[in-house]
Amino acid sequence: MKRHPWATKAFAAAALGGALGLISCGGDGDKDGAGPVADPVPYALLPEQTPSWSEADRDFFLHGSMGTEFLPEVLLRAWAETEPGLIPSATLVAFGAVAERADGLPLGFSLRRVEHLGGLPSLGINCASCHAGQVVPPGGGAPITLLGQPAPFDAEAFFGAVVVAMVKTADPEAMKKFLPAYARARLRRADAQAVREMEELIAKDMAAIAAAVKEDPLANRGAAAGAMHVLGEHDLDLFVPGTTKLVPLPDLARNLLRLLHNMRAALHIPDALPAGAPPASGPGRNDAFGLLSLVLLGTPQEYAPVKFGVVWNVDRRRWVHWDGNTPSPMARNLLAAVGLGAPLLGKKAVLDVAVLKRQTQLSETIRPPKYPWQIDEAAAKRGEAHYRANCASCHDGPESDARLHAVAEVGTDPARARAFTQKQADGFNGFLRTVQVENFDASKEPAIRGTGKYWASALEGVWARAPYLHNGSVRTMADLLSPPASRPKTWRRGSREYDASGLGYADAGPHVLDTTTPGNSNAGHDYGTALPGDAKRDLIEFLKAK
């Protein structure tokens, strides 16, 4: 199989202690068990963000499919038992995901049965996983769900933990532990007798189970590189159809290995994982185009992390992304879907384009959130003059290429601008010209470009866009208005508690961002840094009201 970037991220995730979790969903009859769920936290939505949406639109954006389901939920529940070092809990909250529904399905996750995964209910991510989050009021209180903001989800740790768990399970001793855990995960009711029988059979048949795993641990027999096994309706069942007799465990082990093979194929993960790993980006960030370049084009690039994009007023913009490289969110989402679990068999993408279009269309109509807490109106009025003098010339006015600024001008980290060249853009355009998607002609989408510059976006809702700069290297607006040399060199990412005085999130969370490392510089953008302290506070109040 072709080398896939998530595989390299796996080692970074494992080294960091993984991150972990799962969600649950009941299945049919006694086949698919209902596992533990997260307790949803009461929250509020801001109605001004989606004035044209129905309740069905809201639910689809938060939980609808975009064709990326790759992870059978029963496997995650089993891994939570057998691999606690990777998956220590039975929810996705340790990844930064938000437990939003009573059934435990977090924001940005879909669940549906997938044919190439044996018909098992399987998890995938959608737009909201990276573009919907929550903010906790200063001092605590009910969180507010914000749509379109950079989410605190740690996608790299999530995919990395799953990759490592897959690799570890293709081992005879690991399979010995995994089979009873799989049985507990599959059973709707706790069937201790069936699990005891399985454990007895494992002890009896261990040599045969070990031989089945050793003979083809990656399940490559019968499926060409990048291709998939056909998994029948009952191939992953615990019992012989129509009976209460357990299936032969060596056969079940072989079929589970075939399932893992199909998961790797859907994610383009190689059989042998590389020894090295790029840095971990942490919550709310990734090197999206670098990852897609590696998996779809086979072209590695330098590490160039960016924070998840802001998805507000997209239908009123021509260019999106931090470097203004993409005029077609649909094309970008197609690239993401294929890279994150929608199988690519030869040139054919196995993808329901209708659901991808709906996700894209909904994301284009999200509006920026208004600041939900008290604003000092007098200070905000004073701050407007400082905004006009220090910010408006770049961030206001028509969204033309005049919004693009050279790295030498703004002084921010150059990695992303340097990495996304026109050559790389041409590679993605070539992929879109040749990929085959039923009911969609990707070749007709507007071309992607390389600008080598950064885009000065409009600042509506800027209070909810922290951390700041394209790579999310500056925690608060107060820090951004400080001279670059005095900005904190390290701070923690992942908190949802809001810092109203600084205009950003609290210095807390699971990931330490070191801004002295490649791709993470917090230098540059020194506009407004020479203002006196009271003027900066007035400017921050104005930005709250922007």
Side-chain angles (χ1 to χ4, degrees):
M1 296 181 204
K2 201 161 49 171
R3 176 175 175 168
H4 188 283
W6 291 118
T8 66
K9 296 290 186 179
F11 286 92
L16 288 171
L20 319 171
L22 66 107
I23 69 172
S24 75
C25 174
D28 296 335
D30 291 333
K31 286 179 59 178
D32 301 308
V37 299
D39 292 331
V41 177
Y43 67 95
L45 285 168
L46 299 179
E48 71 268 15
Q49 286 209 267
T50 54
S52 64
W53 283 15
S54 66
E55 190 66 24
D57 290 335
R58 174 195 167 278
D59 190 65
F60 188 82
F61 178 75
L62 296 179
H63 301 294
S65 173
M66 62 181 286
T68 64
E69 292 83 7
F70 79 100
L71 178 58
E73 53 148 357
V74 293
L75 266 62
L76 262 186
R77 284 192 268 128
W79 281 327
E81 178 181 333
T82 63
E83 300 293 345
L86 288 172
I87 303 172
S89 77
T91 73
L92 286 171
V93 294
F95 283 121
V98 177
E100 184 254 356
R101 292 200 327 192
D103 65 0
L105 193 64
L107 291 180
F109 280 79
S110 60
L111 185 69
R112 69 180 179 94
R113 295 184 182 274
V114 179
E115 182 178 359
H116 62 265
L117 302 179
L120 295 175
S122 299
L123 294 169
I125 65 174
N126 68 14
C127 295
S129 65
C130 298
H131 305 293
Q134 286 188 337
V135 55
V136 176
I144 299 170
T145 293
L146 300 176
L147 305 182
Q149 75 156 171
F153 178 56
D154 193 335
E156 292 177 1
F158 168 65
F159 280 89
V162 173
V163 170
V164 174
M166 283 195 287
V167 172
K168 294 184 70 173
T169 303
D171 173 84
E173 283 300 314
M175 185 64 73
K176 178 181 177 181
K177 294 192 302 179
F178 184 78
L179 286 171
Y182 176 76
R184 281 185 281 270
R186 284 299 301 263
L187 296 170
R188 179 179 294 275
R189 294 180 295 272
D191 192 337
Q193 178 60 31
V195 175
R196 280 197 299 272
E197 290 178 8
M198 176 173 283
E199 290 171 336
E200 291 172 0
L201 283 175
I202 289 172
K204 179 181 177 181
D205 296 342
M206 190 56 217
I209 294 170
V213 174
K214 288 179 179 178
E215 69 185 10
D216 191 17
L218 300 175
N220 286 331
R221 295 179 187 173
M228 294 190 177
H229 294 281
V230 175
L231 290 172
E233 178 184 0
H234 300 294
D235 286 346
L236 298 167
D237 285 357
L238 297 174
F239 303 104
V240 175
T243 76
T244 58
K245 181 181 178 181
L246 288 169
V247 298
L249 296 187
D251 292 344
L252 178 59
R254 292 187 185 94
N255 286 334
L256 286 169
L257 293 174
R258 294 184 181 109
L259 174 63
L260 297 178
H261 173 101
N262 286 2
M263 292 168 63
R264 293 196 308 275
L267 291 173
H268 320 287
I269 294 173
D271 292 339
L273 297 182
S281 299
R285 305 195 317 157
N286 67 2
D287 182 11
F289 276 105
L291 300 176
L292 291 174
S293 179
L294 188 57
V295 61
L296 299 181
L297 308 181
T299 305
Q301 69 173 39
E302 69 171 306
Y303 178 61
V306 296
K307 72 175 183 179
F308 296 152
V310 177
V311 186
W312 297 326
N313 294 336
V314 175
D315 57 349
R316 303 173 185 176
R317 298 162 58 189
R318 181 182 178 192
W319 299 99
V320 296
H321 294 140
W322 300 114
D323 49 356
N325 69 355
T326 307
S328 172
M330 182 64 187
R332 190 263 178 253
N333 286 345
L334 188 151
L335 293 171
V338 173
L340 295 174
L344 183 63
L345 304 178
K347 293 293 185 180
K348 183 179 180 181
V350 182
L351 183 64
D352 182 352
V353 75
V355 299
L356 189 63
K357 282 184 175 180
R358 188 178 180 195
Q359 279 282 336
T360 303
Q361 289 166 352
L362 287 173
S363 69
E364 291 178 333
T365 61
I366 300 172
R367 305 304 175 211
K370 296 178 181 178
Y371 189 76
W373 306 298
Q374 185 175 356
I375 297 173
D376 183 335
E377 298 293 345
K381 187 174 181 178
R382 294 192 301 269
E384 183 174 4
H386 302 304
Y387 177 83
R388 300 298 170 203
N390 294 276
C391 313
S393 62
C394 290
H395 292 282
D396 285 3
E399 294 211 356
S400 68
D401 280 0
R403 293 282 189 100
L404 285 170
H405 299 273
V407 173
E409 177 185 353
V410 295
T412 52
D413 191 288
R416 168 58 184 266
R418 185 170 57 217
F420 200 91
T421 63
Q422 187 58 47
K423 181 179 179 180
Q424 188 183 57
D426 289 341
F428 286 118
N429 290 328
F431 176 86
L432 292 169
R433 284 194 299 270
T434 58
V435 68
Q436 300 168 11
V437 184
E438 189 174 355
N439 299 320
F440 182 67
D441 187 352
S443 67
K444 294 181 178 179
E445 291 299 301
I448 297 171
R449 66 178 181 174
T451 68
K453 299 180 179 181
Y454 291 125
W455 182 270
S457 57
L459 296 183
E460 288 84 1
V462 68
W463 70 272
R465 294 171 54 168
Y468 299 102
L469 299 183
H470 71 278
N471 59 359
S473 59
V474 180
R475 184 175 69 86
T476 68
M477 183 61 66
D479 291 335
L480 189 62
L481 292 173
S482 300
S486 68
R487 294 169 187 165
K489 300 300 182 185
T490 62
W491 52 276
R492 289 189 170 273
R493 293 181 61 99
S495 173
R496 295 181 192 141
E497 182 179 350
Y498 202 73
D499 175 356
S501 61
L503 213 63
Y505 292 91
D507 185 0
H511 179 77
V512 176
L513 178 64
D514 184 350
T515 65
T516 67
T517 55
N520 295 320
S521 172
N522 65 358
H525 198 283
D526 57 0
Y527 312 105
T529 59
L531 289 170
D534 57 351
K536 291 179 181 179
R537 288 189 290 273
D538 290 346
L539 175 56
I540 286 174
E541 288 301 305
F542 175 78
L543 291 172
K544 291 177 182 178
K546 188 82 170 83

